[in-house]
Amino acid sequence: MTGQSGRPSSSSDQPSGSVDGVEPRWLSEEDQRTWLALGSVLLRLPGALDAQLQRDAGISHFEYVVMAALSESPERTLRMSILAVMAESGLPRLSQVVTRLEKRGWVKRSPDPTDGRSTLATLTEDGWDKVVASAPGHVEEVRRLVFDPLTKAQLRQLNEISRRVITVIDPDDRCLR
Amino acid sequence: MTGQSGRPSSSSDQPSGSVDGVEPRWLSEEDQRTWLALGSVLLRLPGALDAQLQRDAGISHFEYVVMAALSESPERTLRMSILAVMAESGLPRLSQVVTRLEKRGWVKRSPDPTDGRSTLATLTEDGWDKVVASAPGHVEEVRRLVFDPLTKAQLRQLNEISRRVITVIDPDDRCLR
DNA sequence: GGCGGTTTGTTCAACCTTTAACCAAAGCGT
DNA sequence: ACGCTTTGGTTAAAGGTTGAACAAACCGCC
């Protein structure tokens, strides 16, 4: 119930005599149901993904994303700022996660020779093994929760729907390529 | 980039000679793009909603949901445990948020006369005013980010898609009614 | 070459969430 | 009525995230 947009069932219901000038366009019954369902997905899908990785691999989804991004980069290395963009997180958050991963021996930091300000994060051999070991289970879960229950047509729609929503939230986004 | 399922571009790529027996079914190129886009929505839509409410009303999305749920209940009152289910949160989280809302004068607690264990949360007059004041802006944002950019057909699909995903995550869910 | 302004990254503090422990009241069998 | 278990809720501690402040290095311009 993230959604349903909590329109209090006021006494002055549908009529257009609002206090502040314009009467808000409330959601229709059907739209409310849609919003309710979407809200639930928004709230639970990330949790479910996290749970699987935590359970089977002992890492958070975010940690996985960071290591996965490194694993696909040349030299398995990325600058912190680039990595932050790819992981859709701020620098502080990334910095602490990398510290955590470094302590576990999966990532190591090194100064960038070409730019004294920036740091390079590199996935270690152990880190690569960790990603390889974790990926199948994670992919399987993604497939089970999202791709298997939907038809091909729905997946195409889901792609287009997501794309449109993102465009509104952040018009200049790298996710659209 | 929550998603893309971080399949490390291994040297042993598509072939089915896996170490642990079964080769995972990787995602197709197109599915990866879909997953990437969905991941971005999962990550940013909640943030965008929170941002709007924080900016315009000074409350979090969760606080709004709690108050909205109360505003639609008889007597504007709900038992904590029921409210927790409706807000899709655990009791501890709810308890602290209600404490916060109580301090702001928007909610008050009272013991349940019919059951000495449980507590009733009631939306005060001020709380009701707060919800009424916040709702239009929130609904407008939901509409702007999700409903306006999508076609009627896409909204129907989105409803069905969400429903299916939730069913897999949590087969016995009250959201389906 | 040196000075201001900007980028990059880390650290610190405040806040929120989650997990576990805890207490009080209710149900329930004897 | 007495214990035992279950349910409802709060509290305490631990972990993670966000925002502000800070240090270091680069860049452009004089």
Side-chain angles (χ1 to χ4, degrees):
Chain A
M1 139 127 15
T2 283
Q4 94 102 280
S5 308
R7 174 268 226 111
S9 37
S10 154
S11 48
S12 64
D13 231 343
Q14 288 296 77
S16 55
S18 169
V19 188
D20 51 329
V22 287
E23 181 69 12
R25 304 168 298 158
W26 297 116
L27 267 46
S28 70
E29 283 287 330
E30 187 182 350
D31 284 353
Q32 286 190 33
R33 280 193 298 274
T34 301
W35 178 236
L36 203 60
L38 177 58
S40 215
V41 171
L42 252 34
L43 203 51
R44 302 186 167 202
L45 191 43
L49 261 21
D50 251 321
Q52 182 273 323
L53 278 169
Q54 199 67 54
R55 175 167 44 79
D56 298 345
I59 59 179
S60 71
H61 181 61
F62 183 64
E63 292 173 323
Y64 175 82
V65 169
V66 168
M67 291 199 287
L70 287 176
S71 77
E72 290 167 358
S73 302
E75 307 291 320
R76 304 198 306 241
T77 298
L78 243 28
R79 284 180 42 186
M80 292 292 281
S81 52
I82 307 287
L83 187 51
V85 173
M86 296 182 70
E88 309 206 37
S89 88
L91 250 0
R93 185 183 180 190
L94 178 62
S95 185
Q96 277 164 316
V97 168
V98 167
T99 302
R100 223 150 49 217
L101 294 176
E102 217 172 2
K103 259 173 214 156
R104 299 233 242 169
W106 292 330
V107 172
K108 71 174 174 23
R109 276 187 240 241
S110 54
D112 186 340
T114 76
D115 186 340
R117 297 170 291 184
S118 68
T119 350
L120 300 177
T122 305
L123 195 65
T124 66
E125 201 62 40
D126 281 2
W128 205 81
D129 292 347
K130 185 65 183 176
V131 175
V132 170
S134 314
H138 177 56
V139 174
E140 191 51 44
E141 184 73 349
V142 169
R143 196 178 276 285
R144 187 176 74 84
L145 296 181
V146 178
F147 289 87
D148 286 347
L150 301 180
T151 67
K152 296 273 185 200
Q154 285 174 330
L155 286 175
R156 271 192 301 276
Q157 283 295 326
L158 182 56
N159 191 3
E160 180 61 21
I161 289 169
S162 304
R163 212 163 284 271
R164 288 193 185 189
V165 172
I166 293 169
T167 302
V168 179
I169 295 180
D170 181 5
D172 37 40
D173 191 284
R174 44 267 171 213
C175 171
L176 312 168
R177 92 175 78 302
Chain B
M1 143 122 18
T2 284
Q4 93 104 278
S5 308
R7 174 266 227 113
S9 38
S10 154
S11 48
S12 64
D13 230 345
Q14 289 297 77
S16 55
S18 169
V19 188
D20 52 328
V22 287
E23 180 69 11
R25 305 168 296 159
W26 298 114
L27 267 45
S28 70
E29 283 286 330
E30 187 181 350
D31 284 353
Q32 286 191 31
R33 281 193 298 274
T34 301
W35 178 237
L36 202 60
L38 176 58
S40 214
V41 171
L42 253 34
L43 202 52
R44 303 188 166 200
L45 191 43
L49 261 22
D50 250 321
Q52 182 274 322
L53 277 169
Q54 200 66 54
R55 175 167 43 80
D56 298 345
I59 58 179
S60 72
H61 180 62
F62 182 65
E63 291 173 325
Y64 175 81
V65 169
V66 168
M67 289 198 289
L70 287 175
S71 77
E72 291 167 357
S73 302
E75 305 294 318
R76 305 198 305 241
T77 297
L78 243 29
R79 285 179 43 186
M80 291 294 281
S81 52
I82 306 287
L83 187 50
V85 172
M86 296 183 70
E88 308 205 40
S89 88
L91 248 2
R93 185 183 182 191
L94 179 62
S95 186
Q96 276 164 320
V97 168
V98 167
T99 302
R100 230 157 34 222
L101 294 176
E102 214 171 5
K103 260 173 214 154
R104 299 233 241 168
W106 292 330
V107 172
K108 70 174 172 27
R109 277 187 240 240
S110 55
D112 185 340
T114 76
D115 186 340
R117 297 171 290 183
S118 67
T119 356
L120 300 176
T122 305
L123 196 65
T124 65
E125 200 63 40
D126 281 2
W128 205 81
D129 292 347
K130 184 66 184 174
V131 175
V132 170
S134 314
H138 177 57
V139 174
E140 191 51 44
E141 184 73 348
V142 169
R143 195 178 277 283
R144 188 176 73 83
L145 296 182
V146 177
F147 289 87
D148 286 347
L150 301 180
T151 67
K152 295 273 186 201
Q154 285 174 330
L155 285 176
R156 272 192 301 275
Q157 283 296 323
L158 182 56
N159 191 4
E160 179 63 18
I161 289 169
S162 304
R163 212 163 283 271
R164 289 194 184 189
V165 172
I166 293 169
T167 303
V168 179
I169 295 180
D170 182 4
D172 37 40
D173 192 284
R174 44 268 173 213
C175 169
L176 312 168
R177 93 175 79 299

